[in-house]
Amino acid sequence: MPMRQLVFHGPRRLAVEEAERLPLGPDQVRVAVRAVGVCGSAVHGYAGVNARRVPGMVMGHEAVGTVSEVGDGVEGIQVGTVVAINPITSCGECELCLDGSENLCERRRIYGCVADLPGAYAETIVVKAANVVPFEGPAPIEWGALVEPLSVGAHAARVGEIGAEHEVFVVGGGPIGVAAALAARRRGARRVVVSEPLEHRRAVAEQLGFETLDPTVAEGPRSEFPIALECVGHSGTLRAALTAVPPRGRVVFVGLAEDTIELPAAVVMVGERTITGSAAYTMRDFRETAAWIAAGEDDLSPLIEKTVDLEGLPAVFESYADGSLHAMKTLLQLQG
């Protein structure tokens, strides 16, 4: 039975095409896609900013849907279960995988980010049963598409060991910066400030209850916060994060806008400041984030500012790429 999917054919070339549904192997499930987020990394690949997306692939790794079929050997997952998809696969055998740090596995791969693991910009997706997490609760099903990006922030907050009474400075108010701010607050931080130059993004952060700073008109903090979460990945934003923390302060580096950035060495050395990388999330982070979102206790509706169907998705990518669209999160919405 054919299905529709969005195929990447190279920079600024996307097409909705029909394709045969992938066969279902042992220990796999087929998920009828309900909603998928548009990620900045996918937009960068679409625009040709980097070569992390290759022609012929189906992108989409922030997905929620309903299990429509289960393969041989699958236990504990029933047809009809609403699930969020953790797109990270790992070897399951190395020391990192065995201690629960599968996000650092050197053989990890991601559905929707490599050619032979098609993503969720399609009517259905086939994934390993181990990669689906039930999304059960009163929250709208579409919020399940937020689990993946918000898990990135949850992991960053955990890497930063943020706890009760901490004051936290978040550099960058995009989806990952907001995710990090939300996670810091969930972990008990008594003050969270989000620095973001775009007025629209600051407005969304404020809707979610955060104090904001416009770095284009106000000087950033100096040695004011014990922890900073850098969620952009530019030389200037890393400097702002390092400046914001005092000697022996911590910066968690989450952003990846540029492959190579300048490091202000004196700021790091003289103040014995530390920079710690934070990569994606573990399954523990993903499960905890899914449970929190599904419970619906926090209103996350300000994050979802636009929804489109499959035919409307190419225009959304182009609008993000040319800078005319600033929606915090756009969702492809299927299956009702």
Side-chain angles (χ1 to χ4, degrees), residues 6 11 37 67 140 186 269 274 294 301 313:
L6 187 72
V67 175
R186 292 206 320 276
M269 183 274 289
T274 60
S301 57
L313 199 52

Side-chain angles (χ1 to χ4, degrees), residues 10-294:
R12 284 184 146 86
R13 293 173 57 206
L14 293 169
V16 177
E17 301 174 1
E18 280 200 352
E20 290 299 316
R21 297 181 185 227
L22 292 176
L24 193 65
D27 301 319
Q28 292 182 326
V29 298
R30 190 184 313 279
V31 177
V33 176
R34 177 63 174 264
V36 195
V38 175
C39 175
S41 64
V43 173
H44 289 158
Y46 161 79
V49 173
N50 56 50
R52 296 181 192 139
R53 304 295 187 269
V54 298
M57 70 182 299
V58 177
M59 298 187 290
H61 60 274
E62 303 177 358
V64 64
T66 304
V67 175
S68 60
E69 189 179 357
V70 299
D72 294 339
V74 175
E75 298 180 356
I77 301 174
Q78 306 298 321
V79 170
T81 302
V82 177
V83 293
I85 297 172
N86 178 343
I88 297 176
T89 66
S90 61
C91 74
E93 300 172 349
C94 69
E95 183 177 345
L96 289 165
C97 285
L98 294 177
D99 81 355
S101 299
E102 68 280 355
N103 60 312
L104 303 180
C105 173
E106 293 187 312
R107 287 183 279 174
R108 71 188 180 278
R109 300 164 78 237
I110 302 175
Y111 286 96
C113 297
V114 294
D116 59 339
L117 291 179
Y121 291 152
E123 292 178 325
T124 69
I125 180 175
V126 171
V127 298
K128 293 180 180 179
N131 286 75
V132 300
V133 172
F135 187 75
E136 301 171 327
I141 292 176
E142 289 74 19
W143 287 15
L146 299 174
V147 175
E148 197 278 342
L150 296 193
S151 294
V152 176
H155 185 71
R158 184 153 68 87
V159 168
E161 299 179 343
I162 294 172
E165 298 304 305
H166 273 134
E167 295 192 352
V168 180
F169 187 59
V170 178
V171 182
I176 300 305
V178 168
L182 287 165
R185 187 166 65 191
R186 292 206 320 276
R187 292 177 66 91
R190 65 185 177 91
R191 185 187 180 203
V192 180
V193 178
V194 177
S195 174
E196 168 56 48
L198 291 179
E199 181 180 3
H200 176 74
R201 286 182 168 180
R202 290 198 307 276
V204 173
E206 289 165 6
Q207 279 185 275
L208 293 167
F210 294 108
E211 180 182 345
T212 64
L213 170 73
D214 181 354
T216 66
V217 299
E219 184 177 356
R222 292 182 175 273
S223 299
E224 184 177 340
F225 295 84
I227 302 171
L229 304 175
E230 203 286 349
C231 300
V232 183
H234 289 302
S235 300
T237 50
L238 176 59
R239 180 179 292 277
L242 286 165
T243 301
V245 301
R248 293 186 176 168
R250 298 198 304 275
V251 172
V252 179
F253 195 65
V254 193
L256 194 60
E258 298 177 82
D259 290 333
T260 303
I261 63 175
E262 295 180 357
L263 175 68
V267 178
V268 176
M269 183 274 289
V270 173
E272 296 185 0
R273 295 169 174 86
T274 60
I275 302 173
T276 304
S278 178
Y281 41 80
T282 65
M283 179 56 92
R284 169 189 166 186
D285 299 315
F286 197 91
R287 289 187 182 279
E288 290 177 353
T289 302
W292 163 63
I293 295 174

